[in-house]
Amino acid sequence: MKVFNAMEPLVAEAINENWSEYSLPCKCEQCKNDVFALTLNNLTPRYVSKDNGVAYVRAQYFNKQMMANIYVKIAEAVNIVGKNPQCENVKRS
Ligand SMILES: [Zn+2]
């Protein structure tokens, strides 16, 4: 069986596009993945069968309301990761 969470590519794209603008103490790959994971955890997943592809997902789910919701969740995740980074670069003992 092949399914994936349609939110993944949309969230990944949104984070990548705006990554330089987020104010985070560290912007390494680990912190980016933390933001990515947190955002996905806070969004309702939309599972689709892989055969439908990302183009289908986009057509189906890509609208202003949904993107606005995604951006809100990303901002929340950035906030949380910014306050409590899990990576080695900023971890203090
Ligand atoms: Zn980091």
Side-chain angles (χ1 to χ4, degrees):
M1 290 195 284
K2 280 192 214 164
V3 296
F4 78 109
N5 181 1
M7 293 308 237
E8 270 186 46
L10 296 178
V11 170
E13 200 176 81
I15 290 175
N16 279 325
E17 270 175 19
N18 300 288
W19 188 238
S20 59
E21 287 161 34
Y22 296 132
S23 55
L24 283 160
C26 173
K27 293 202 166 183
C28 74
E29 207 55 29
Q30 176 64 56
C31 290
K32 198 178 197 178
N33 286 333
D34 283 343
V35 169
F36 188 28
L38 258 177
T39 304
L40 285 172
N41 282 340
N42 289 326
L43 282 165
T44 308
R46 309 266 183 176
Y47 287 100
V48 296
S49 64
K50 195 96 179 169
D51 287 346
N52 286 331
V54 176
Y56 167 85
V57 169
R58 221 178 275 281
Q60 202 75 1
Y61 300 114
F62 192 90
N63 60 59
K64 274 189 177 157
Q65 186 54 51
M66 181 167 136
M67 285 316 290
N69 189 38
I70 287 175
Y71 283 118
V72 167
K73 298 297 182 191
I74 293 173
E76 285 173 12
V78 164
N79 234 324
I80 293 165
V81 173
K83 276 181 190 153
N84 189 20
Q86 297 299 307
C87 82
E88 294 305 315
N89 295 340
V90 278
K91 223 172 187 174
R92 283 170 215 115
S93 48

